[in-house]
Amino acid sequence: MTPSFPKCRLRIVLAPGVAFGPGKADLLQGLAETGSIRAAGSRLGMSYKRAWNLVGALNRDFAEPLVTTEKGGAGGGGGARLTPLGHELLERFRRIEAVMLEAGGADLSVLQGAVKSPLDGAGEEK
Amino acid sequence: MTPSFPKCRLRIVLAPGVAFGPGKADLLQGLAETGSIRAAGSRLGMSYKRAWNLVGALNRDFAEPLVTTEKGGAGGGGGARLTPLGHELLERFRRIEAVMLEAGGADLSVLQGAVKSPLDGAGEEK
């Protein structure tokens, strides 16, 4: 996957100690698409343990679980499915990201255009 | 300062290795308001060294400097002023944040409303 720029990372602190950001969003999306905690984590370069911990945090921090899990499952690494609330929160997070890119597009372009091009810094210490 | 929630943290990766996020934006704003790297940094709980390093990164990563510095200066900790480009980029970053909060407001409220209230988790291990 070739990264495209600018890339906006949105992190929402919903309450003290409760944040929802790109890592959790990408993990939820991966779970929805693969049905497996191991597969979703590995796609993000995340250890199985870290993916499990994030799922635990998501289920602990919200009033209802965002993910249902079962031992074994697809890929033998713990099956997982998003609950309706999990689907809804992921969709809303993606919508905020999209709105930001669309409405902030002109400002983003100016910020990006102000970055020094690699040639400007040729021979210069970084 | 009482934090209000939800709090959105926007981090923009403008090019490989060049990011602009809340830390740099708050530092630029502090520099504009205090004229001192030490004062701007300390307001953010940032060491003088870290504030200097961020200023250095900002000036290195953009085609023109965002900050002009002088030894000594206000507070004896190194005077600093934003250049016109520094002011412009800060203003545009704040505008993207504002647009995101305004256009994404309804989605943010739903995300926030789904968080478990402190009472739900009473007596539960965190």
Side-chain angles (χ1 to χ4, degrees), chain B residues 64-122:
Chain B
E64 296 169 37
L66 307 193
V67 178
T68 55
T69 57
E70 53 189 76
K71 283 202 171 171
R81 288 170 16 133
L82 263 56
T83 63
L85 183 64
H87 277 290
E88 183 184 355
L89 296 194
L90 174 61
E91 192 186 313
R92 289 185 184 268
F93 182 82
R94 293 300 187 210
R95 209 148 63 197
I96 300 169
E97 286 184 321
V99 144
M100 182 177 74
L101 284 172
E102 194 186 316
D107 290 315
L108 279 171
S109 298
V110 173
L111 279 163
Q112 191 184 19
V115 171
K116 186 186 284 185
S117 84
L119 289 177
D120 295 343

Side-chain angles (χ1 to χ4, degrees), chain A residues 5-7 9-14 60-63 92 95 99-100 103 107-108 110 114 116 126, chain B residues 5-14 60-63 92 95 99-100 103 107-108 110 114 116 126:
Chain A
F5 296 93
K7 194 169 168 172
R9 306 277 288 175
L10 167 66
R11 185 165 184 271
I12 308 172
V13 184
L14 292 164
R60 196 173 51 232
D61 288 339
F62 291 87
R92 289 186 184 269
R95 209 147 62 196
V99 145
M100 181 176 75
D107 290 315
L108 279 171
V110 173
K116 187 185 284 185
K126 179 88 192 178
Chain B
F5 295 93
K7 193 170 169 172
C8 290
R9 307 277 288 175
L10 167 65
R11 185 166 185 271
I12 308 173
V13 184
L14 292 164
R60 199 174 48 234
D61 289 339
F62 290 88
R92 289 185 184 268
R95 209 148 63 197
V99 144
M100 182 177 74
D107 290 315
L108 279 171
V110 173
K116 186 186 284 185
K126 178 94 191 172

